[in-house]
Amino acid sequence: MRAHTQYSPSQCSTYSLTRARTASRLEKMDIRIFIFSFLIVPLTFCAAAQNEWKGEPQNRGLKRGLRFRLQTDGNTFMEVKKPKKNVIEVSDYESLGEADEQSSGVTGEDPGLPTCLLCVCLTRSVYCEEVSPEMTTVPPLPKETAYLYARFNKIARIGSKDFANIATLKRIDLTGNIISEIEDGAFSKLDQLEELTLTGNRLVRLPMLPPKLTCLNANHNLLKTKGVKANIFKKLTKLAYLYLGDNELEAIPVLPESLRVVHLHNNNITTLTDGTFCRGNDTHYIRYNMQEVRLDGNPLILAQHPNSFICLRALPIGHYK
C-alpha cells in the first residue's frame, strides 16, 4: 500500500497558486498562437506578395519572354511582350523544295553515287562485277578512283570520255564483257595507268595505249594483225608483261626491250624473222629482260627459225618438230 503524502495548509495554498499561474500562462500562449496563426501569418504573406509586385521583376514564375511592370504611383498596369519569332517566307511549293535542297547541301547529281549503289566502293577501288541489272556502259566513277574492276558485265563499247576525268586510274580490269570497240583516246591520256586487262572480249583492234603501262592482257579476243599497229608497243618503255594469246594474229608486232613475258599462243602466226626477238646483224646481242615467250598453238615450227631466238636466255615454248 502506498503511503499518502500529507501537505500542510500553507503548502496547499502554494500549490494551488502555482497551478493557477500555470493555467494563466497556458491561456496566454494559446491566445498568442491564435493571433500568430490567423492574423500575423496572412499579413506576412500579403506583405510578401505586395513586395513581389514592387519594382520591375523579370520572368518570375512566367514564360520566358513575358515582362510585367508595376507603376509606383498606385495605378497598376501590366505590360506583356511576346518573344519574336523567326518567320520564313515561302512563296510556293517549288521554292520550298529549292530551299530544302540548298539546306541539305545538295547542289546537283553526284555521278559517283549511282555507281557506289550498284557497285562496291572501298577507298579508291570500285568493284562492279556481275552487276544486276546488267551494266552495258562504263559507270561514272568517283573522283580519285585508282582501281576499277568491271568484270563479267555487258559493256559493249569504251568511249574516249569514259575515263576522261579520272586521271588517277592505275588499274582497269574489264574482263568478260562484250567489248568490240575502244576509241583511241579512251586510255591514251591516263598517265598513271599501269595495268590494263581486256581478257575475254570481242576486240578486233587495240587502241592507243598510255605511256606508263607495265601490263597489258588482251587474251581471248578477236585481234588480227591489221588491228594491231606495228609500232603500238615500241614506245612503251615500261611494258613488262604482254598477253595476246588466243587471238587471230598472223604476225608478231615490234616488242619493246622492257618485256619480260610475252604470250602469243593459239594464234595464226606462221613466220618469224631474225629481228622478231633479236638483232639479226648483231650476234653478241642478248635480250636479258626476256624471261618467257609462248608461241605454242601456232602453225609454226620453231626449229626452222633458229636465228630468230638466238639472243634469248631461254627457248620459246612451242612446236619444234
Side-chain angles (χ1 to χ4, degrees):
M1 295 181 64
R2 294 183 179 179
H4 293 280
T5 305
Q6 298 293 328
Y7 293 96
S8 62
S10 61
Q11 289 177 339
C12 289
S13 61
T14 302
Y15 175 75
S16 299
L17 181 60
T18 303
R19 291 186 61 185
R21 290 178 178 177
T22 302
S24 177
R25 290 176 181 175
L26 291 175
E27 289 177 358
K28 291 180 180 180
M29 288 179 66
D30 292 340
I31 294 173
R32 290 174 181 175
I33 292 172
F34 173 81
I35 294 173
F36 179 81
S37 301
F38 291 95
L39 295 177
I40 296 177
V41 172
L43 289 175
T44 302
F45 280 110
C46 291
Q50 289 179 359
N51 292 332
E52 184 178 2
W53 286 99
K54 290 181 180 180
E56 295 184 358
Q58 300 280 336
N59 304 330
R60 182 174 296 176
L62 300 172
K63 293 182 179 180
R64 187 176 183 180
L66 299 178
R67 183 173 63 183
F68 290 84
R69 291 183 180 177
L70 186 65
Q71 285 186 341
T72 58
D73 58 357
N75 297 324
T76 303
F77 70 94
M78 182 171 62
E79 179 183 1
V80 180
K81 290 188 177 181
K82 296 182 179 180
K84 295 182 180 180
K85 296 182 178 180
N86 295 327
V87 180
I88 301 176
E89 296 182 359
V90 179
S91 58
D92 52 17
Y93 180 78
E94 293 181 356
S95 300
L96 180 61
E98 293 176 358
D100 290 341
E101 184 177 2
Q102 293 177 357
S103 63
S104 62
V106 179
T107 58
E109 183 181 357
D110 183 1
L113 181 60
T115 300
C116 292
L117 289 176
L118 293 173
C119 308
V120 177
C121 298
L122 297 174
T123 314
R124 300 176 65 190
S125 300
V126 178
Y127 298 86
C128 300
E129 301 184 353
E130 297 182 288
V131 175
S132 179
E134 294 178 346
M135 180 178 290
T136 58
T137 59
V138 176
L141 299 176
K143 292 182 178 180
E144 299 183 359
T145 299
Y147 307 97
L148 170 64
Y149 302 90
R151 301 182 288 194
F152 308 109
N153 292 293
K154 298 296 182 182
I155 299 174
R157 183 178 180 276
I158 306 296
S160 59
K161 296 182 180 180
D162 288 342
F163 303 107
N165 299 322
I166 315 295
T168 55
L169 279 167
K170 293 184 177 181
R171 180 184 302 163
I172 297 176
D173 192 341
L174 297 169
T175 299
N177 284 275
I178 56 173
I179 301 171
S180 60
E181 181 185 0
I182 300 178
E183 292 187 3
D184 278 338
F187 306 122
S188 59
K189 296 180 181 180
L190 301 179
D191 295 334
Q192 298 186 34
L193 189 65
E194 297 177 354
E195 299 181 25
L196 176 60
T197 303
L198 302 169
T199 305
N201 283 280
R202 302 176 183 178
L203 291 172
V204 295
R205 61 181 294 272
L206 288 178
M208 295 176 61
L209 300 171
K212 293 185 180 180
L213 199 66
T214 61
C215 179
L216 173 64
N217 191 336
N219 286 339
H220 296 281
N221 277 278
L222 303 174
L223 293 173
K224 295 184 179 182
T225 300
K226 62 181 181 181
V228 180
K229 296 180 180 180
N231 295 326
I232 190 173
F233 305 117
K234 187 175 182 180
K235 295 182 180 180
L236 302 182
T237 58
K238 295 185 178 182
L239 187 64
Y241 303 92
L242 178 61
Y243 303 100
L244 298 174
D246 292 283
N247 280 282
E248 299 178 6
L249 297 174
E250 297 90 9
I252 300 175
V254 178
L255 303 175
E257 293 286 333
S258 57
L259 270 182
R260 297 181 181 180
V261 176
V262 55
H263 287 185
L264 297 164
H265 57 283
N266 299 330
N267 279 278
N268 295 324
I269 300 172
T270 56
T271 59
L272 287 175
T273 66
D274 293 347
T276 301
F277 299 105
C278 304
R279 298 174 184 173
N281 57 355
D282 188 356
T283 57
H284 299 285
Y285 170 73
I286 298 177
R287 195 160 192 158
Y288 290 101
N289 291 330
M290 189 73 75
Q291 299 172 0
E292 180 179 315
V293 178
R294 283 192 61 182
L295 287 169
D296 52 304
N298 286 281
L300 179 67
I301 299 176
L302 294 177
Q304 297 177 356
H305 308 276
N307 294 330
S308 298
F309 42 84
I310 194 173
C311 65
L312 299 180
R313 301 177 66 181
L315 292 175
I317 300 172
H319 183 59
Y320 283 91
K321 292 182 180 180

